[in-house]
Amino acid sequence: MANLRLTHASILNSRAQLLILPVNNAGVLLDPVLARAKTLYPDNYHRYHRACRDGSLNVGSCLLHKRMREQAGLGISSNGNQPSYIANLVVSNHPYHPARTRWFTTALIDLQQQMMPLIRYKGIRRVALLARPLIFDNPRDTATHQSTEANSLPLDWQTDTLPLLTTYLQDLPKLRIDVHVPKSISL
């Protein structure tokens, strides 16, 4: 069983072996943490951006990237703190569109399938997930959205995002998953 833990700490200072970054398939990163990750992990960004440009990255998928180790320069001292893998969880089709339940669910299923060999054969035990792009700022008004299909509504943290994370990641064996949430979410 995986141990999901909510934290307010910065994901970029995490000692996780695998970072999970929710992204869109347009190749544009507007979240400040994702923009910083773009400069910290340029090999991941180049692969992600190339997949967006050539149209091979679909919404509801996961692009898993094995990082290349830096051999020289300033990054060599912090090589031990950097993740070995980065999972780009494609949960939206545009940087201004929020994640949807259907996209998030299929992306989590894809992530779960790709993580099993990493856990089993590569010894991955610590994972960090950036939750801010998965949190929609406007609370859902269920009275006005009763006629709308539930899968097309933006995700709500309490009713959608956290239960889906628990459902699809809880059964992964021997794993500690730190879910990095904004300070507006109580722990």
Side-chain angles (χ1 to χ4, degrees), residues 110-125:
D110 193 17
L111 172 69
Q112 183 184 37
Q113 292 169 352
Q114 292 186 45
M115 282 180 63
M116 286 308 289
L118 295 179
I119 296 167
R120 189 170 290 145
Y121 303 117
K122 302 294 183 184
I124 297 293
R125 296 291 175 253

Side-chain angles (χ1 to χ4, degrees), residues 10-91:
S10 170
I11 192 170
L12 299 177
N13 295 332
S14 171
R15 296 185 57 90
Q17 298 165 293
L18 169 70
L19 286 184
I20 303 171
L21 304 175
V23 295
N24 57 64
N25 72 342
V28 179
L29 304 174
L30 297 180
D31 186 274
V33 176
L34 292 175
R36 179 73 179 131
K38 170 182 165 179
T39 59
L40 285 175
Y41 314 117
D43 54 334
N44 173 63
Y45 177 74
H46 292 305
R47 182 168 179 224
Y48 157 71
H49 193 259
R50 187 173 49 248
C52 290
R53 267 196 333 247
D54 67 20
S56 64
L57 198 58
N58 297 321
V59 179
S61 64
C62 177
L63 176 67
L64 187 67
H65 175 70
K66 179 171 177 22
R67 296 209 50 246
M68 297 180 293
R69 290 296 182 181
E70 298 170 2
Q71 300 300 321
L74 296 175
I76 194 77
S77 63
S78 64
N79 242 0
N81 291 344
Q82 293 191 1
S84 300
Y85 297 89
I86 297 178
N88 299 288
L89 205 61
V90 186
V91 296

